[in-house]
Amino acid sequence: MKTQELDLFPIDNQKECPSSEVKSKLDFDNIFDRLSHSKFRSSFYLNNKDKDYIAKRDWNTIRKNTADIISKRLAPADIPNDGRQTPMRHGIFPPFIAQHATGCCCRGCFEKWHNIPKGRQLSEDEQQYAVDVIMEWLKRHV
């Protein structure tokens, strides 16, 4: 039987993007529980190379680098290679793996899983939200 991917927000809430105030109160357990119902999203993990990468750096550096990646690869309104801009290979940059695991890898997935519409520049709050979700996933998987 094919596993169906679930959206993070029920259909009733799909009319508009939740405010950053609402997002800041989101329960990470709820987010990750919903993502765990997707066979694809739940297939991602950190291998030893990824864990070594993280061990050799402090969390602030990883967060800063993740924020930079989000601002360049996810935040623009128009991304020419949207859906293909985030590498899926281990050992490059562990937040790339976390982006796929959390649905923060492209604007299509970000819209589906986090109800933040594509076609417009992400706000600073929305970018920080993506970074927060990615960082939380990394911390839970180290």
Coordinates of all heavy atoms in Angstrom, one line a residue, residues 8-95:
L8 N 1.3 19.4 6.8 CA 1.5 19.8 8.2 C 0.2 20.5 8.7 O -0.1 20.5 9.9 CB 2.7 20.7 8.4 CG 4.0 20.0 8.4 CD1 5.1 21.0 8.6 CD2 4.0 19.0 9.5
F9 N -0.5 21.2 7.8 CA -1.7 22.0 8.3 C -2.9 21.3 7.6 O -2.9 21.1 6.4 CB -1.5 23.4 7.8 CG -0.3 24.1 8.5 CD1 0.9 24.2 7.8 CD2 -0.4 24.5 9.8 CE1 2.0 24.8 8.3 CE2 0.7 25.1 10.3 CZ 1.9 25.3 9.6
P10 N -3.9 21.1 8.4 CA -5.1 20.5 7.9 C -5.7 21.4 6.8 O -5.5 22.6 6.7 CB -6.1 20.4 9.1 CG -5.2 20.6 10.3 CD -4.0 21.3 9.8
I11 N -6.5 20.8 5.9 CA -7.1 21.5 4.8 C -7.8 22.8 5.2 O -7.8 23.8 4.6 CB -8.1 20.6 4.0 CG1 -7.3 19.3 3.6 CG2 -8.8 21.3 2.9 CD1 -7.3 18.9 2.2
D12 N -8.5 22.7 6.4 CA -9.2 23.9 6.9 C -8.3 25.1 7.1 O -8.7 26.3 7.0 CB -9.8 23.6 8.3 CG -10.9 22.5 8.2 OD1 -11.2 22.1 7.1 OD2 -11.3 22.1 9.3
N13 N -7.0 24.9 7.3 CA -6.1 26.0 7.6 C -5.2 26.4 6.4 O -4.3 27.1 6.5 CB -5.1 25.6 8.7 CG -5.8 25.4 10.0 OD1 -6.8 26.0 10.2 ND2 -5.2 24.6 10.9
Q14 N -5.6 25.9 5.2 CA -4.8 26.1 4.0 C -5.1 27.4 3.3 O -4.6 27.7 2.3 CB -4.9 24.9 3.0 CG -4.4 23.6 3.6 CD -3.2 23.1 3.0 OE1 -2.8 23.6 2.0 NE2 -2.5 22.2 3.7
K15 N -6.0 28.2 3.8 CA -6.4 29.4 3.1 C -5.4 30.5 3.1 O -5.2 31.2 2.2 CB -7.7 30.0 3.8 CG -8.9 29.0 3.6 CD -10.1 29.5 4.3 CE -11.3 28.6 4.0 NZ -11.8 28.0 5.2
E16 N -4.6 30.5 4.2 CA -3.5 31.5 4.2 C -2.4 31.0 5.1 O -2.5 30.1 5.9 CB -4.0 32.9 4.8 CG -4.6 32.8 6.2 CD -5.2 34.2 6.6 OE1 -6.2 34.6 6.0 OE2 -4.6 34.7 7.5
C17 N -1.2 31.6 4.9 CA 0.0 31.2 5.6 C -0.1 31.6 7.1 O -0.5 32.7 7.4 CB 1.2 31.9 5.0 SG 2.7 31.6 5.8
P18 N 0.2 30.7 8.0 CA 0.1 31.0 9.4 C 1.1 32.1 9.7 O 2.2 32.2 9.1 CB 0.6 29.7 10.1 CG 0.4 28.7 9.1 CD 0.5 29.3 7.8
S19 N 0.8 33.0 10.6 CA 1.7 34.1 10.9 C 2.9 33.6 11.6 O 2.9 32.5 12.2 CB 1.0 35.1 11.9 OG 0.8 34.5 13.1
S20 N 4.0 34.4 11.6 CA 5.2 33.9 12.3 C 5.0 33.7 13.8 O 5.6 32.9 14.4 CB 6.4 34.9 12.0 OG 6.0 36.2 12.3
E21 N 4.0 34.5 14.4 CA 3.7 34.3 15.8 C 3.1 32.9 16.0 O 3.5 32.2 16.9 CB 2.7 35.3 16.2 CG 2.3 35.2 17.7 CD 1.3 36.2 18.1 OE1 1.6 37.4 18.0 OE2 0.2 35.9 18.5
V22 N 2.3 32.4 15.1 CA 1.7 31.1 15.2 C 2.8 30.1 15.0 O 3.0 29.1 15.8 CB 0.6 30.9 14.2 CG1 0.2 29.4 14.1 CG2 -0.6 31.7 14.5
K23 N 3.7 30.3 14.0 CA 4.8 29.3 13.7 C 5.7 29.2 14.9 O 6.3 28.2 15.1 CB 5.5 29.8 12.4 CG 4.7 29.4 11.2 CD 5.5 29.7 10.0 CE 4.5 29.6 8.9 NZ 4.4 28.5 8.1
S24 N 6.0 30.4 15.6 CA 7.0 30.3 16.6 C 6.5 29.4 17.8 O 7.2 29.0 18.6 CB 7.3 31.7 17.1 OG 6.2 32.3 17.8
K25 N 5.2 29.2 17.8 CA 4.6 28.4 18.9 C 4.3 26.9 18.5 O 3.8 26.2 19.2 CB 3.2 29.0 19.3 CG 3.4 30.4 20.0 CD 2.1 31.0 20.4 CE 2.3 32.3 21.0 NZ 1.1 33.0 21.3
L26 N 4.7 26.6 17.2 CA 4.5 25.3 16.7 C 5.3 24.3 17.6 O 6.4 24.6 17.9 CB 4.9 25.1 15.3 CG 3.9 25.7 14.2 CD1 4.5 25.5 12.8 CD2 2.6 25.0 14.3
D27 N 4.7 23.2 17.8 CA 5.3 22.1 18.5 C 6.2 21.3 17.6 O 5.6 20.7 16.6 CB 4.3 21.3 19.2 CG 4.8 20.1 20.0 OD1 6.0 20.0 20.2 OD2 3.9 19.4 20.5
F28 N 7.5 21.2 17.8 CA 8.3 20.4 16.9 C 7.9 19.0 16.9 O 8.0 18.3 15.8 CB 9.8 20.6 17.3 CG 10.4 21.8 16.9 CD1 11.1 22.6 17.8 CD2 10.5 22.2 15.5 CE1 11.7 23.8 17.4 CE2 11.1 23.4 15.1 CZ 11.7 24.2 16.1
D29 N 7.5 18.5 18.0 CA 7.0 17.1 18.0 C 5.9 16.8 17.0 O 5.9 15.8 16.3 CB 6.6 16.7 19.4 CG 7.7 16.6 20.4 OD1 8.9 16.4 19.9 OD2 7.5 16.7 21.6
N30 N 5.0 17.8 16.9 CA 3.9 17.7 16.0 C 4.4 17.7 14.5 O 3.9 16.9 13.7 CB 2.8 18.8 16.2 CG 1.6 18.7 15.3 OD1 1.2 17.6 15.0 ND2 1.1 19.8 14.9
I31 N 5.3 18.6 14.2 CA 5.8 18.8 12.9 C 6.5 17.5 12.5 O 6.2 16.9 11.4 CB 6.8 19.9 12.8 CG1 6.1 21.3 13.0 CG2 7.6 19.9 11.5 CD1 7.0 22.4 13.2
F32 N 7.4 17.0 13.4 CA 8.1 15.8 13.0 C 7.2 14.5 13.0 O 7.5 13.6 12.2 CB 9.3 15.6 14.0 CG 10.3 16.7 13.8 CD1 10.8 17.4 14.9 CD2 10.8 17.1 12.5 CE1 11.7 18.4 14.7 CE2 11.7 18.1 12.3 CZ 12.2 18.8 13.4
D33 N 6.2 14.5 13.8 CA 5.2 13.4 13.7 C 4.6 13.3 12.4 O 4.5 12.3 11.8 CB 4.2 13.5 14.9 CG 3.2 12.4 14.8 OD1 3.6 11.2 14.9 OD2 2.0 12.7 14.6
R34 N 4.1 14.5 11.9 CA 3.5 14.5 10.6 C 4.4 14.1 9.5 O 4.1 13.4 8.6 CB 2.9 15.9 10.3 CG 1.7 16.2 11.2 CD 1.3 17.7 11.0 NE 0.3 18.0 12.0 CZ -1.0 18.4 11.7 NH1 -1.3 18.5 10.5 NH2 -1.8 18.7 12.7
L35 N 5.7 14.6 9.6 CA 6.7 14.3 8.5 C 7.0 12.8 8.6 O 7.3 12.2 7.5 CB 7.9 15.1 8.7 CG 7.8 16.6 8.4 CD1 9.0 17.4 9.0 CD2 7.8 16.8 6.9
S36 N 6.9 12.2 9.7 CA 7.2 10.8 9.9 C 6.2 9.9 9.1 O 6.6 8.7 8.9 CB 7.3 10.3 11.4 OG 6.0 10.3 11.9
H37 N 5.1 10.4 8.8 CA 4.1 9.6 8.0 C 4.4 9.5 6.6 O 3.8 8.8 5.8 CB 2.7 10.1 8.3 CG 2.2 10.0 9.7 ND1 1.8 8.8 10.2 CD2 2.1 10.9 10.7 CE1 1.5 8.9 11.4 NE2 1.6 10.2 11.8
S38 N 5.4 10.3 6.1 CA 5.9 10.2 4.7 C 7.0 9.2 4.6 O 8.1 9.4 5.3 CB 6.3 11.6 4.3 OG 7.1 11.5 3.1
K39 N 6.9 8.2 3.8 CA 8.0 7.3 3.6 C 9.2 8.0 3.1 O 10.3 7.7 3.6 CB 7.5 6.2 2.6 CG 8.5 5.1 2.4 CD 7.9 4.0 1.5 CE 8.9 2.9 1.4 NZ 8.4 1.8 0.5
F40 N 9.1 8.9 2.2 CA 10.2 9.7 1.7 C 10.9 10.5 2.8 O 12.1 10.4 3.0 CB 9.8 10.5 0.5 CG 10.9 11.3 -0.1 CD1 11.9 10.7 -0.9 CD2 11.0 12.7 0.1 CE1 12.9 11.5 -1.4 CE2 12.0 13.5 -0.4 CZ 13.0 12.9 -1.2
R41 N 10.1 11.3 3.5 CA 10.7 12.2 4.5 C 11.4 11.4 5.6 O 12.4 11.8 6.1 CB 9.7 13.2 5.0 CG 9.0 14.0 4.0 CD 9.8 15.2 3.5 NE 9.3 15.7 2.3 CZ 9.9 16.2 1.3 NH1 11.2 16.4 1.4 NH2 9.3 16.6 0.2
S42 N 10.8 10.3 6.0 CA 11.3 9.6 7.1 C 12.5 8.7 6.7 O 13.1 8.0 7.6 CB 10.2 8.8 7.8 OG 9.7 7.8 6.9
S43 N 12.8 8.7 5.5 CA 13.9 7.8 5.0 C 15.3 8.5 5.2 O 16.3 7.9 5.1 CB 13.8 7.4 3.6 OG 14.0 8.5 2.7
F44 N 15.3 9.8 5.6 CA 16.6 10.5 5.7 C 17.2 10.3 7.1 O 16.4 10.2 8.1 CB 16.4 12.0 5.4 CG 16.1 12.2 4.0 CD1 14.8 12.3 3.5 CD2 17.1 12.3 3.1 CE1 14.5 12.6 2.2 CE2 16.9 12.5 1.7 CZ 15.6 12.6 1.3
Y45 N 18.5 10.2 7.2 CA 19.2 10.0 8.4 C 20.6 10.7 8.2 O 21.0 11.0 7.1 CB 19.4 8.5 8.7 CG 20.2 7.8 7.6 CD1 21.5 7.6 7.8 CD2 19.6 7.4 6.5 CE1 22.3 7.0 6.8 CE2 20.3 6.8 5.5 CZ 21.7 6.6 5.6 OH 22.4 6.0 4.6
L46 N 21.3 10.8 9.3 CA 22.7 11.3 9.3 C 23.6 10.1 9.4 O 23.5 9.3 10.3 CB 23.0 12.3 10.5 CG 22.2 13.5 10.5 CD1 22.5 14.3 11.8 CD2 22.4 14.4 9.3
N47 N 24.5 10.0 8.4 CA 25.5 9.0 8.5 C 26.7 9.4 9.3 O 26.8 10.5 9.8 CB 25.9 8.5 7.1 CG 26.7 9.5 6.3 OD1 27.2 10.5 6.8 ND2 26.8 9.2 5.0
N48 N 27.8 8.6 9.4 CA 28.9 8.9 10.2 C 29.7 10.2 9.7 O 30.2 11.0 10.5 CB 29.9 7.7 10.3 CG 29.3 6.6 11.2 OD1 28.5 6.9 12.0 ND2 29.7 5.4 11.0
K49 N 29.8 10.3 8.4 CA 30.4 11.5 7.8 C 29.7 12.8 8.3 O 30.3 13.8 8.6 CB 30.4 11.5 6.3 CG 31.6 10.8 5.7 CD 31.5 11.0 4.2 CE 32.9 10.6 3.5 NZ 32.8 10.8 2.1
D50 N 28.3 12.7 8.2 CA 27.5 13.9 8.6 C 27.7 14.2 10.1 O 27.9 15.4 10.5 CB 26.0 13.6 8.3 CG 25.7 13.3 6.9 OD1 26.3 14.0 6.0 OD2 24.8 12.5 6.6
K51 N 27.7 13.2 10.9 CA 27.9 13.3 12.3 C 29.3 13.9 12.7 O 29.4 14.7 13.5 CB 27.6 12.0 13.1 CG 26.1 11.7 13.0 CD 25.9 10.3 13.7 CE 24.4 9.9 13.6 NZ 24.1 8.6 14.1
D52 N 30.3 13.4 11.9 CA 31.6 13.9 12.1 C 31.7 15.4 11.7 O 32.4 16.2 12.4 CB 32.7 13.2 11.3 CG 32.9 11.8 11.8 OD1 32.6 11.5 13.0 OD2 33.5 10.9 11.0
Y53 N 31.1 15.8 10.6 CA 31.0 17.2 10.2 C 30.4 18.0 11.3 O 31.0 19.1 11.7 CB 30.1 17.3 9.0 CG 30.0 18.7 8.5 CD1 30.8 19.2 7.4 CD2 29.1 19.6 9.0 CE1 30.6 20.5 6.9 CE2 28.9 20.9 8.6 CZ 29.7 21.3 7.5 OH 29.6 22.6 7.1
I54 N 29.3 17.6 11.9 CA 28.7 18.3 13.0 C 29.6 18.4 14.2 O 29.7 19.4 14.9 CB 27.3 17.8 13.3 CG1 26.4 18.0 12.1 CG2 26.7 18.3 14.6 CD1 25.0 17.3 12.2
A55 N 30.2 17.3 14.6 CA 31.0 17.2 15.8 C 32.2 18.2 15.7 O 32.7 18.7 16.7 CB 31.5 15.8 16.0
K56 N 32.7 18.5 14.5 CA 33.9 19.4 14.3 C 33.5 20.8 14.3 O 34.4 21.7 14.2 CB 34.6 19.0 13.0 CG 35.3 17.6 13.1 CD 35.9 17.2 11.8 CE 36.5 15.8 11.9 NZ 37.0 15.4 10.7
R57 N 32.2 21.1 14.4 CA 31.8 22.5 14.3 C 30.8 22.8 15.5 O 30.2 21.9 16.0 CB 31.0 22.8 13.0 CG 32.0 22.8 11.8 CD 31.3 22.5 10.5 NE 32.3 22.4 9.4 CZ 33.0 21.4 9.1 NH1 32.9 20.2 9.8 NH2 33.9 21.4 8.1
D58 N 30.7 24.1 15.8 CA 29.7 24.4 16.9 C 28.4 24.7 16.2 O 28.3 25.0 15.1 CB 30.2 25.6 17.7 CG 30.3 26.9 16.9 OD1 29.3 27.6 16.8 OD2 31.4 27.1 16.3
W59 N 27.3 24.6 17.0 CA 26.0 24.7 16.5 C 25.7 26.1 16.0 O 25.0 26.3 15.0 CB 25.0 24.4 17.6 CG 24.9 22.9 17.9 CD1 25.3 22.3 19.0 CD2 24.3 21.9 17.0 NE1 25.0 20.9 18.8 CE2 24.4 20.7 17.6 CE3 23.8 22.0 15.7 CZ2 24.0 19.5 17.0 CZ3 23.3 20.8 15.1 CH2 23.4 19.6 15.8
N60 N 26.4 27.2 16.5 CA 26.2 28.5 16.0 C 26.7 28.6 14.6 O 26.1 29.3 13.7 CB 26.8 29.5 16.9 CG 26.1 29.7 18.2 OD1 24.9 29.5 18.3 ND2 26.8 30.1 19.2
T61 N 27.8 28.0 14.3 CA 28.4 28.0 12.9 C 27.5 27.3 12.0 O 27.2 27.7 10.9 CB 29.8 27.4 12.9 OG1 30.6 28.1 13.8 CG2 30.4 27.3 11.5
I62 N 27.0 26.1 12.4 CA 26.1 25.3 11.5 C 24.8 26.1 11.3 O 24.3 26.2 10.1 CB 25.8 24.0 12.2 CG1 27.1 23.1 12.2 CG2 24.7 23.2 11.4 CD1 27.0 21.9 13.0
R63 N 24.3 26.8 12.3 CA 23.1 27.6 12.1 C 23.3 28.8 11.2 O 22.5 29.0 10.3 CB 22.6 28.1 13.5 CG 21.3 28.9 13.4 CD 20.8 29.4 14.7 NE 19.5 30.0 14.6 CZ 18.4 29.3 14.5 NH1 18.4 28.0 14.7 NH2 17.2 29.9 14.3
K64 N 24.4 29.4 11.3 CA 24.8 30.6 10.4 C 24.9 30.1 9.0 O 24.3 30.7 8.1 CB 26.1 31.2 10.9 CG 26.5 32.4 10.1 CD 27.9 32.9 10.6 CE 28.5 33.9 9.6 NZ 29.1 33.3 8.5
N65 N 25.6 29.0 8.8 CA 25.7 28.4 7.4 C 24.4 27.9 6.8 O 24.1 28.1 5.7 CB 26.7 27.3 7.4 CG 28.1 27.8 7.7 OD1 28.4 29.0 7.5 ND2 29.0 26.9 8.2
T66 N 23.5 27.4 7.7 CA 22.2 27.0 7.3 C 21.4 28.2 6.9 O 20.7 28.1 5.8 CB 21.5 26.1 8.4 OG1 22.3 25.0 8.7 CG2 20.1 25.7 7.9
A67 N 21.4 29.2 7.7 CA 20.7 30.4 7.3 C 21.1 31.0 6.0 O 20.3 31.5 5.2 CB 20.8 31.5 8.5
D68 N 22.4 31.0 5.7 CA 23.0 31.4 4.5 C 22.4 30.6 3.3 O 22.0 31.2 2.3 CB 24.5 31.4 4.5 CG 25.1 32.0 3.3 OD1 24.7 33.2 3.0 OD2 26.0 31.4 2.7
I69 N 22.4 29.3 3.5 CA 21.9 28.4 2.4 C 20.4 28.7 2.2 O 20.0 28.8 1.0 CB 22.1 26.9 2.8 CG1 23.6 26.6 2.8 CG2 21.3 26.0 1.9 CD1 24.2 26.6 1.5
I70 N 19.6 28.9 3.2 CA 18.2 29.1 3.1 C 18.0 30.4 2.4 O 17.1 30.5 1.5 CB 17.5 29.1 4.5 CG1 17.5 27.7 5.1 CG2 16.1 29.7 4.4 CD1 16.8 26.6 4.3
S71 N 18.7 31.5 2.7 CA 18.6 32.8 2.1 C 18.9 32.7 0.6 O 18.3 33.5 -0.2 CB 19.4 33.8 2.8 OG 20.8 33.7 2.5
K72 N 19.8 31.9 0.2 CA 20.2 31.8 -1.2 C 19.4 30.8 -2.0 O 19.1 31.0 -3.2 CB 21.7 31.5 -1.3 CG 22.6 32.6 -0.8 CD 24.0 32.2 -0.8 CE 24.9 33.3 -0.3 NZ 26.3 32.9 -0.1
R73 N 19.0 29.6 -1.4 CA 18.5 28.5 -2.1 C 17.0 28.3 -1.9 O 16.3 27.6 -2.7 CB 19.2 27.2 -1.8 CG 20.6 27.2 -2.2 CD 21.2 25.9 -1.8 NE 22.6 25.8 -2.2 CZ 23.1 24.8 -2.9 NH1 22.3 23.8 -3.3 NH2 24.3 24.7 -3.3
L74 N 16.4 28.9 -0.9 CA 15.0 28.7 -0.6 C 14.2 30.0 -0.6 O 13.0 30.0 -1.0 CB 14.8 27.9 0.8 CG 13.4 27.5 1.1 CD1 13.0 26.3 0.1 CD2 13.3 27.0 2.5
A75 N 14.8 31.1 -0.1 CA 14.1 32.3 0.1 C 13.7 33.1 -1.2 O 12.7 33.8 -1.2 CB 14.9 33.2 1.0
P76 N 14.4 33.0 -2.3 CA 14.0 33.8 -3.5 C 12.6 33.5 -4.0 O 12.2 32.4 -3.9 CB 15.1 33.5 -4.5 CG 16.3 33.0 -3.7 CD 15.7 32.3 -2.5
A77 N 12.0 34.5 -4.5 CA 10.7 34.3 -5.1 C 10.7 33.3 -6.3 O 9.8 32.5 -6.5 CB 10.1 35.6 -5.5
D78 N 11.7 33.5 -7.1 CA 11.9 32.7 -8.3 C 13.2 31.9 -8.3 O 14.2 32.5 -8.3 CB 11.8 33.5 -9.6 CG 11.9 32.7 -10.8 OD1 11.3 31.6 -10.9 OD2 12.6 33.2 -11.8
I79 N 13.1 30.6 -8.2 CA 14.3 29.7 -8.2 C 14.3 28.9 -9.5 O 13.4 28.0 -9.6 CB 14.3 28.8 -6.9 CG1 14.1 29.7 -5.7 CG2 15.5 27.9 -6.9 CD1 13.8 28.9 -4.4
P80 N 15.2 29.2 -10.4 CA 15.2 28.5 -11.7 C 15.2 27.0 -11.6 O 14.5 26.4 -12.4 CB 16.4 29.1 -12.4 CG 16.8 30.3 -11.7 CD 16.3 30.1 -10.3
N81 N 15.9 26.5 -10.7 CA 16.0 25.0 -10.6 C 15.2 24.5 -9.3 O 15.6 23.5 -8.7 CB 17.5 24.6 -10.5 CG 18.2 25.1 -9.3 OD1 17.8 26.1 -8.8 ND2 19.3 24.5 -9.0
D82 N 14.1 25.1 -9.0 CA 13.4 24.7 -7.8 C 13.0 23.3 -7.9 O 12.5 22.8 -9.0 CB 12.1 25.6 -7.7 CG 11.5 25.5 -6.3 OD1 12.2 25.3 -5.3 OD2 10.2 25.5 -6.2
G83 N 13.2 22.6 -6.9 CA 12.9 21.1 -6.8 C 14.2 20.3 -7.0 O 14.2 19.1 -6.8
R84 N 15.3 21.0 -7.5 CA 16.5 20.3 -7.7 C 17.7 21.0 -7.1 O 18.9 20.7 -7.4 CB 16.7 20.1 -9.2 CG 15.7 19.3 -9.9 CD 15.9 19.1 -11.4 NE 16.0 20.4 -12.2 CZ 15.0 21.1 -12.5 NH1 13.8 20.8 -12.2 NH2 15.2 22.2 -13.2
Q85 N 17.5 22.0 -6.3 CA 18.6 22.9 -5.8 C 19.3 22.3 -4.6 O 20.3 22.8 -4.2 CB 18.1 24.3 -5.6 CG 17.2 24.5 -4.3 CD 15.8 24.4 -4.6 OE1 15.3 23.7 -5.4 NE2 15.0 25.3 -3.9
T86 N 18.7 21.3 -3.9 CA 19.3 20.8 -2.7 C 19.8 19.4 -2.9 O 19.1 18.5 -3.2 CB 18.2 20.8 -1.6 OG1 17.6 22.1 -1.5 CG2 18.8 20.4 -0.2
P87 N 21.2 19.3 -2.7 CA 21.8 18.0 -2.9 C 21.2 17.0 -1.9 O 20.8 17.3 -0.7 CB 23.3 18.2 -2.6 CG 23.4 19.7 -2.8 CD 22.1 20.3 -2.4
M88 N 21.2 15.7 -2.3 CA 20.7 14.6 -1.4 C 21.8 13.7 -0.9 O 21.5 12.7 -0.2 CB 19.6 13.8 -2.1 CG 18.4 14.6 -2.4 SD 17.2 13.7 -3.4 CE 16.5 12.7 -2.1
R89 N 23.0 14.0 -1.3 CA 24.1 13.1 -0.9 C 24.6 13.4 0.5 O 24.7 14.6 0.9 CB 25.3 13.2 -1.9 CG 24.9 12.6 -3.3 CD 26.0 12.9 -4.2 NE 26.1 14.4 -4.3 CZ 27.0 15.0 -4.9 NH1 28.0 14.4 -5.6 NH2 27.1 16.3 -4.9
H90 N 25.0 12.4 1.2 CA 25.7 12.5 2.5 C 27.1 13.0 2.4 O 27.7 12.9 1.3 CB 25.7 11.2 3.2 CG 24.4 10.7 3.7 ND1 23.8 11.2 4.8 CD2 23.5 9.8 3.1 CE1 22.6 10.6 4.9 NE2 22.4 9.8 3.9
G91 N 27.6 13.7 3.4 CA 29.0 14.1 3.5 C 29.3 15.4 2.9 O 30.4 15.8 2.9
I92 N 28.3 16.1 2.3 CA 28.5 17.4 1.7 C 28.3 18.5 2.8 O 29.1 19.2 3.2 CB 27.6 17.7 0.5 CG1 27.9 16.7 -0.6 CG2 27.8 19.1 0.0 CD1 26.9 16.7 -1.7
F93 N 27.0 18.5 3.3 CA 26.6 19.5 4.3 C 25.4 18.9 5.0 O 24.3 18.9 4.3 CB 26.3 20.8 3.6 CG 26.0 22.0 4.5 CD1 26.8 22.4 5.5 CD2 24.8 22.7 4.3 CE1 26.4 23.4 6.3 CE2 24.4 23.7 5.1 CZ 25.3 24.1 6.1
P94 N 25.4 18.4 6.2 CA 24.3 17.8 6.8 C 23.0 18.5 6.8 O 21.9 17.9 6.6 CB 24.8 17.5 8.3 CG 26.2 17.5 8.1 CD 26.6 18.4 7.0
P95 N 22.9 19.9 6.8 CA 21.6 20.5 6.7 C 20.9 20.3 5.4 O 19.7 20.4 5.3 CB 22.0 22.0 6.9 CG 23.2 22.0 7.8 CD 24.0 20.8 7.3

